[in-house]
Amino acid sequence: MLLTQQMAAGLGTLSPSMTGTTAEQLQHFTDPQVLLDSNSRAALPAEILHTLQQIFSDALNLVFLVGAILIVVSLIASILIGPARLVPKSVTTKQNLTQ
C-alpha cells in the first residue's frame, strides 16, 4: 500500500506534456507489477522509462526505510522489556522437569 501511494505521488509530479502521455496512462503505472512487466517497459520511450524507474526506486527506498525504523523500534522495545516475562521462569522450569 505504501509503495503504491508513493508511486502515485511520484507520478503526480510528472506533467503529461513532459511525458507525452495522458494522466490516465500514467496512473496505469502506479501498480509496480505493471512497471516490472517487460512488454509494458518495451512500449515506453527510454526517457519515460528512466523516470518511472526512478520513481519506483524512490518509493521502494521509502518502504525499506519505514521497515528499518519499525525493526529498530521493536528491538528497543524488546530490550526495554528486559526481564519481564509472561510466564514466570519457575513455572516453565517445573513444567519441563515433569515432562
Side-chain angles (χ1 to χ4, degrees), residues 85-99:
R85 294 176 59 109
L86 293 176
V87 179
K89 193 172 189 176
S90 61
V91 172
T92 56
T93 305
K94 289 178 185 177
Q95 286 177 352
N96 288 338
L97 291 175
T98 59
Q99 291 178 354

PDB file of all heavy atoms in Angstrom, residues 85-99:
ATOM      1  N   ARG A  85       8.464 -11.154  31.874  1.00  0.00           N
ATOM      2  CA  ARG A  85       8.053 -12.351  31.139  1.00  0.00           C
ATOM      3  C   ARG A  85       6.561 -12.559  31.331  1.00  0.00           C
ATOM      4  O   ARG A  85       6.012 -12.178  32.349  1.00  0.00           O
ATOM      5  CB  ARG A  85       8.797 -13.581  31.641  1.00  0.00           C
ATOM      6  CG  ARG A  85      10.273 -13.551  31.370  1.00  0.00           C
ATOM      7  CD  ARG A  85      10.947 -14.769  31.977  1.00  0.00           C
ATOM      8  NE  ARG A  85      10.406 -16.001  31.459  1.00  0.00           N
ATOM      9  CZ  ARG A  85      11.056 -16.811  30.632  1.00  0.00           C
ATOM     10  NH1 ARG A  85      12.253 -16.512  30.242  1.00  0.00           N
ATOM     11  NH2 ARG A  85      10.493 -17.910  30.208  1.00  0.00           N
ATOM     12  N   LEU A  86       5.943 -13.190  30.364  1.00  0.00           N
ATOM     13  CA  LEU A  86       4.519 -13.503  30.502  1.00  0.00           C
ATOM     14  C   LEU A  86       4.308 -14.672  31.451  1.00  0.00           C
ATOM     15  O   LEU A  86       3.338 -14.739  32.170  1.00  0.00           O
ATOM     16  CB  LEU A  86       3.914 -13.825  29.135  1.00  0.00           C
ATOM     17  CG  LEU A  86       3.850 -12.650  28.156  1.00  0.00           C
ATOM     18  CD1 LEU A  86       3.331 -13.134  26.813  1.00  0.00           C
ATOM     19  CD2 LEU A  86       2.983 -11.543  28.691  1.00  0.00           C
ATOM     20  N   VAL A  87       5.203 -15.608  31.434  1.00  0.00           N
ATOM     21  CA  VAL A  87       5.127 -16.776  32.304  1.00  0.00           C
ATOM     22  C   VAL A  87       6.375 -16.752  33.187  1.00  0.00           C
ATOM     23  O   VAL A  87       7.491 -16.650  32.678  1.00  0.00           O
ATOM     24  CB  VAL A  87       5.100 -18.082  31.468  1.00  0.00           C
ATOM     25  CG1 VAL A  87       5.055 -19.302  32.364  1.00  0.00           C
ATOM     26  CG2 VAL A  87       3.934 -18.064  30.509  1.00  0.00           C
ATOM     27  N   PRO A  88       6.199 -16.851  34.502  1.00  0.00           N
ATOM     28  CA  PRO A  88       7.377 -16.851  35.376  1.00  0.00           C
ATOM     29  C   PRO A  88       8.315 -18.003  35.033  1.00  0.00           C
ATOM     30  O   PRO A  88       7.870 -19.088  34.639  1.00  0.00           O
ATOM     31  CB  PRO A  88       6.799 -17.023  36.774  1.00  0.00           C
ATOM     32  CG  PRO A  88       5.359 -16.633  36.646  1.00  0.00           C
ATOM     33  CD  PRO A  88       4.963 -16.916  35.246  1.00  0.00           C
ATOM     34  N   LYS A  89       9.598 -17.769  35.174  1.00  0.00           N
ATOM     35  CA  LYS A  89      10.593 -18.764  34.801  1.00  0.00           C
ATOM     36  C   LYS A  89      10.446 -20.036  35.623  1.00  0.00           C
ATOM     37  O   LYS A  89      10.626 -21.142  35.125  1.00  0.00           O
ATOM     38  CB  LYS A  89      11.988 -18.173  34.981  1.00  0.00           C
ATOM     39  CG  LYS A  89      13.074 -18.972  34.359  1.00  0.00           C
ATOM     40  CD  LYS A  89      14.380 -18.219  34.415  1.00  0.00           C
ATOM     41  CE  LYS A  89      15.423 -18.942  33.588  1.00  0.00           C
ATOM     42  NZ  LYS A  89      16.679 -18.198  33.533  1.00  0.00           N
ATOM     43  N   SER A  90      10.091 -19.919  36.895  1.00  0.00           N
ATOM     44  CA  SER A  90       9.968 -21.098  37.745  1.00  0.00           C
ATOM     45  C   SER A  90       8.856 -22.019  37.272  1.00  0.00           C
ATOM     46  O   SER A  90       8.971 -23.231  37.346  1.00  0.00           O
ATOM     47  CB  SER A  90       9.738 -20.680  39.196  1.00  0.00           C
ATOM     48  OG  SER A  90       8.535 -19.939  39.289  1.00  0.00           O
ATOM     49  N   VAL A  91       7.762 -21.487  36.759  1.00  0.00           N
ATOM     50  CA  VAL A  91       6.649 -22.307  36.278  1.00  0.00           C
ATOM     51  C   VAL A  91       7.069 -23.088  35.042  1.00  0.00           C
ATOM     52  O   VAL A  91       6.797 -24.279  34.933  1.00  0.00           O
ATOM     53  CB  VAL A  91       5.417 -21.421  35.980  1.00  0.00           C
ATOM     54  CG1 VAL A  91       4.336 -22.226  35.294  1.00  0.00           C
ATOM     55  CG2 VAL A  91       4.912 -20.783  37.245  1.00  0.00           C
ATOM     56  N   THR A  92       7.760 -22.455  34.106  1.00  0.00           N
ATOM     57  CA  THR A  92       8.160 -23.145  32.899  1.00  0.00           C
ATOM     58  C   THR A  92       9.228 -24.197  33.202  1.00  0.00           C
ATOM     59  O   THR A  92       9.237 -25.260  32.600  1.00  0.00           O
ATOM     60  CB  THR A  92       8.700 -22.170  31.840  1.00  0.00           C
ATOM     61  OG1 THR A  92       9.782 -21.417  32.396  1.00  0.00           O
ATOM     62  CG2 THR A  92       7.613 -21.226  31.371  1.00  0.00           C
ATOM     63  N   THR A  93      10.096 -23.939  34.162  1.00  0.00           N
ATOM     64  CA  THR A  93      11.109 -24.915  34.543  1.00  0.00           C
ATOM     65  C   THR A  93      10.460 -26.137  35.177  1.00  0.00           C
ATOM     66  O   THR A  93      10.825 -27.271  34.882  1.00  0.00           O
ATOM     67  CB  THR A  93      12.133 -24.288  35.526  1.00  0.00           C
ATOM     68  OG1 THR A  93      12.660 -23.112  34.922  1.00  0.00           O
ATOM     69  CG2 THR A  93      13.263 -25.245  35.827  1.00  0.00           C
ATOM     70  N   LYS A  94       9.488 -25.946  36.059  1.00  0.00           N
ATOM     71  CA  LYS A  94       8.782 -27.065  36.698  1.00  0.00           C
ATOM     72  C   LYS A  94       8.036 -27.904  35.647  1.00  0.00           C
ATOM     73  O   LYS A  94       8.033 -29.124  35.746  1.00  0.00           O
ATOM     74  CB  LYS A  94       7.806 -26.557  37.765  1.00  0.00           C
ATOM     75  CG  LYS A  94       8.496 -26.022  39.000  1.00  0.00           C
ATOM     76  CD  LYS A  94       7.473 -25.499  39.982  1.00  0.00           C
ATOM     77  CE  LYS A  94       8.146 -24.849  41.159  1.00  0.00           C
ATOM     78  NZ  LYS A  94       7.178 -24.269  42.103  1.00  0.00           N
ATOM     79  N   GLN A  95       7.431 -27.253  34.675  1.00  0.00           N
ATOM     80  CA  GLN A  95       6.707 -27.986  33.648  1.00  0.00           C
ATOM     81  C   GLN A  95       7.664 -28.813  32.811  1.00  0.00           C
ATOM     82  O   GLN A  95       7.351 -29.941  32.439  1.00  0.00           O
ATOM     83  CB  GLN A  95       5.937 -27.026  32.744  1.00  0.00           C
ATOM     84  CG  GLN A  95       4.709 -26.431  33.410  1.00  0.00           C
ATOM     85  CD  GLN A  95       4.025 -25.423  32.501  1.00  0.00           C
ATOM     86  OE1 GLN A  95       4.541 -25.072  31.452  1.00  0.00           O
ATOM     87  NE2 GLN A  95       2.846 -24.970  32.925  1.00  0.00           N
ATOM     88  N   ASN A  96       8.835 -28.294  32.513  1.00  0.00           N
ATOM     89  CA  ASN A  96       9.809 -29.036  31.724  1.00  0.00           C
ATOM     90  C   ASN A  96      10.350 -30.219  32.494  1.00  0.00           C
ATOM     91  O   ASN A  96      10.637 -31.272  31.924  1.00  0.00           O
ATOM     92  CB  ASN A  96      10.976 -28.116  31.296  1.00  0.00           C
ATOM     93  CG  ASN A  96      10.546 -27.131  30.224  1.00  0.00           C
ATOM     94  OD1 ASN A  96       9.563 -27.367  29.534  1.00  0.00           O
ATOM     95  ND2 ASN A  96      11.262 -26.045  30.122  1.00  0.00           N
ATOM     96  N   LEU A  97      10.501 -30.087  33.814  1.00  0.00           N
ATOM     97  CA  LEU A  97      11.019 -31.197  34.623  1.00  0.00           C
ATOM     98  C   LEU A  97      10.004 -32.321  34.772  1.00  0.00           C
ATOM     99  O   LEU A  97      10.379 -33.489  34.871  1.00  0.00           O
ATOM    100  CB  LEU A  97      11.425 -30.676  36.012  1.00  0.00           C
ATOM    101  CG  LEU A  97      12.652 -29.763  36.043  1.00  0.00           C
ATOM    102  CD1 LEU A  97      12.874 -29.225  37.439  1.00  0.00           C
ATOM    103  CD2 LEU A  97      13.888 -30.497  35.548  1.00  0.00           C
ATOM    104  N   THR A  98       8.722 -32.001  34.775  1.00  0.00           N
ATOM    105  CA  THR A  98       7.700 -33.043  34.945  1.00  0.00           C
ATOM    106  C   THR A  98       7.421 -33.801  33.653  1.00  0.00           C
ATOM    107  O   THR A  98       6.835 -34.864  33.690  1.00  0.00           O
ATOM    108  CB  THR A  98       6.379 -32.432  35.468  1.00  0.00           C
ATOM    109  OG1 THR A  98       5.928 -31.453  34.537  1.00  0.00           O
ATOM    110  CG2 THR A  98       6.568 -31.842  36.836  1.00  0.00           C
ATOM    111  N   GLN A  99       7.848 -33.287  32.537  1.00  0.00           N
ATOM    112  CA  GLN A  99       7.559 -33.950  31.256  1.00  0.00           C
ATOM    113  C   GLN A  99       8.573 -34.958  30.914  1.00  0.00           C
ATOM    114  O   GLN A  99       9.514 -35.328  31.180  1.00  0.00           O
ATOM    115  CB  GLN A  99       7.474 -32.927  30.127  1.00  0.00           C
ATOM    116  CG  GLN A  99       6.270 -32.059  30.270  1.00  0.00           C
ATOM    117  CD  GLN A  99       6.229 -30.997  29.159  1.00  0.00           C
ATOM    118  OE1 GLN A  99       7.145 -30.861  28.374  1.00  0.00           O
ATOM    119  NE2 GLN A  99       5.149 -30.254  29.130  1.00  0.00           N
TER     120      GLN A  99
END
